[in-house]
Amino acid sequence: MVDDSSLSRHVVVAPGMCSGGSLIFGQIGDWTWESVAAACHTNVHAARTSEGQPAYLSFYYFHVRGGQVVHPHGLTFGDELQVTSRVFQFGGQSVITLHRLAPAGLGLADAPLDPAELYERPHPDCLYAENFNRWIARSRPSSNRQLSEVAPPDFSYSGLPRLPNSYSPRTLVGRARETGSFYSAAPPGLVAAGPAHTSEYELDVARDLNGAGLVYFASYFSIFDTALLRVWRSLGRGDEHFLRRKVVDQKVGYFGNADPGAVFTITVHRWHSVAQPRIEIADMAMRDSGTGRLLAVAGIEIDGDASYMDASP
C-alpha cells in the first residue's frame, strides 16, 4: 500500500497474463478486486448482503488506453511492469479504480496515481485502465437475468478520495446504455468502412462462466473479439494480422448478464481514418438474440498496418 487508497506492484508478466485475447483484462480485473479489498477493508471475494446472500463487485465499465510500449496485446513472457492502482469512492454502491501499467525501467515515482495523468496527460509509454464497479446480487438464486444493486454492509468507502466530476464516466456509460453505442455519430475525422456486420455467438459454458456461475467480465472481451475476428476474415485479413493488432483505446459497458444456453447477436459498425488509413474504430453492441435485451457495448480503436486496414466491405 502506498497510502490508504493506493497500491503499487512490481509485476513480471507470466503466461497467464498475456495473449492476443482477454488474459490481460482478466488480470487487471483481479488487481481491481485486490485494490478495493485493501482500500475498503472488505472481503471482496466472499462478500455477503445483509440477508446473507452473495454480493459481487461487478464490472459496469472497463476502459483501457494503450501506450506505445505497453498496450493490451503487446505483452510477452518476462516483461517487467510497475503497476500503480488507486481506488476512488463513487457513491454508496460503487467504486472507480484507476491503474497505470508502466515499463519497470521507466522509473516513475511510487506515488498515488493522479487522475489528471490518466485523463489529461497520460505518459505515452504506459497503459492505463479505468474500472467502474458496482455491487450486485441475484434477485433469484437460479437466474443471472435479474441482478439488483446492493452493497455488503461492511463496504467501507467514506475514507476514499473522490474522483473529480469532470472525469466521471457516468454520462458516457449512461448514453451508451441508452443508445447501444459509445459513438452517437461517426467519430471526428473518420468515415464509415462498409456496411454493418452481424453474427451470433452461443454462450460457451465451458469457457465464459466464472466460479459464481455468472458470465465472466473478461469473457465479454473475448466474445467481442470473436465477432471482430469474423469481420476481419470477411475482409480477407489474416489471423496473424489480428494477433498483431494494436489497441489504442477500448471501452466496454456491461449492462446485463445471461444464463447458460443464451445466444447473443453482435452487431459491428466500423469507421476508418482517411488521413491515417491504419486507424480504425469498431463499434459493437451485444444483445440477447431471443429478447433483444442489450447486454454490452464495446468501442475499440485499433492502430494497425495500413497494408491490411482497408475500407472494403
Side-chain angles (χ1 to χ4, degrees):
M1 296 288 291
V2 176
D3 64 13
D4 290 342
S5 66
S6 305
L7 292 87
S8 180
R9 304 169 174 85
H10 180 86
V11 175
V12 178
V13 175
M17 297 168 56
C18 58
S19 69
S22 65
L23 292 180
I24 186 59
F25 304 116
Q27 180 62 69
I28 292 171
D30 286 349
W31 290 333
T32 290
W33 272 37
E34 292 171 2
S35 299
V36 174
C40 298
H41 312 289
T42 301
N43 186 349
V44 174
H45 299 84
R48 296 274 171 174
T49 68
S50 56
E51 290 78 25
Q53 301 303 313
Y56 307 107
L57 188 65
S58 71
F59 287 80
Y60 185 59
Y61 175 59
F62 200 122
H63 179 205
V64 174
R65 179 180 300 168
Q68 294 176 4
V69 176
V70 184
H71 52 92
H73 307 300
L75 297 171
T76 191
F77 305 169
D79 285 348
E80 296 189 39
L81 304 173
Q82 179 190 18
V83 179
T84 304
S85 308
R86 193 176 185 189
V87 184
F88 296 82
Q89 62 171 288
F90 210 57
Q93 296 180 330
S94 57
V95 287
I96 293 277
T97 305
L98 306 181
H99 304 277
R100 179 185 64 208
L101 281 64
L106 202 57
L108 297 180
D110 240 359
L113 181 59
D114 184 347
E117 178 183 338
L118 187 152
Y119 296 102
E120 296 181 25
R121 49 178 186 274
H123 192 287
D125 291 341
C126 298
L127 182 151
Y128 294 87
E130 174 187 15
N131 289 169
F132 177 3
N133 294 78
R134 304 194 304 180
W135 287 102
I136 61 168
R138 286 186 173 94
S139 299
R140 293 184 297 169
S142 60
S143 176
N144 294 337
R145 291 177 177 267
Q146 296 180 8
L147 303 174
S148 55
E149 293 183 47
V150 55
D154 62 342
F155 176 50
S156 175
Y157 63 90
S158 60
L160 296 176
R162 294 181 179 272
L163 188 73
N165 288 334
S166 58
Y167 301 144
S168 170
R170 286 193 189 275
T171 299
L172 173 70
V173 182
R175 186 183 302 119
R177 184 168 193 166
E178 180 180 343
T179 64
S181 172
F182 280 113
Y183 308 96
S184 56
L190 281 78
V191 296
H197 183 281
T198 300
S199 62
E200 286 194 340
Y201 180 92
E202 184 176 351
L203 183 65
D204 187 339
V205 297
R207 187 185 68 172
D208 296 332
L209 300 182
N210 62 21
L214 294 159
V215 181
Y216 180 41
F217 80 90
S219 292
Y220 288 75
F221 282 89
S222 294
I223 294 168
F224 280 122
D225 277 348
T226 297
L228 185 60
L229 178 58
R230 290 170 179 169
V231 175
W232 279 45
R233 287 172 173 170
S234 74
L235 296 170
R237 301 172 180 174
D239 291 358
E240 67 280 4
H241 292 143
F242 184 81
L243 293 173
R244 293 206 311 269
R245 71 197 185 284
K246 182 177 181 180
V247 171
V248 176
D249 190 276
Q250 183 161 2
K251 305 176 181 72
V252 177
Y254 301 84
F255 308 132
N257 213 276
D259 293 325
V263 177
F264 307 142
T265 299
I266 305 165
T267 303
V268 183
H269 293 87
R270 295 186 304 119
W271 292 277
H272 79 107
S273 170
V274 175
Q276 303 180 73
R278 70 178 188 276
I279 301 297
E280 182 172 286
I281 287 179
D283 178 28
M284 298 184 276
M286 182 170 70
R287 299 180 182 274
D288 184 286
S289 297
T291 65
R293 181 170 59 107
L294 181 67
L295 299 176
V297 172
I300 307 177
E301 179 180 346
I302 298 169
D303 186 343
D305 183 341
S307 66
Y308 65 85
M309 300 294 283
D310 60 83
S312 59

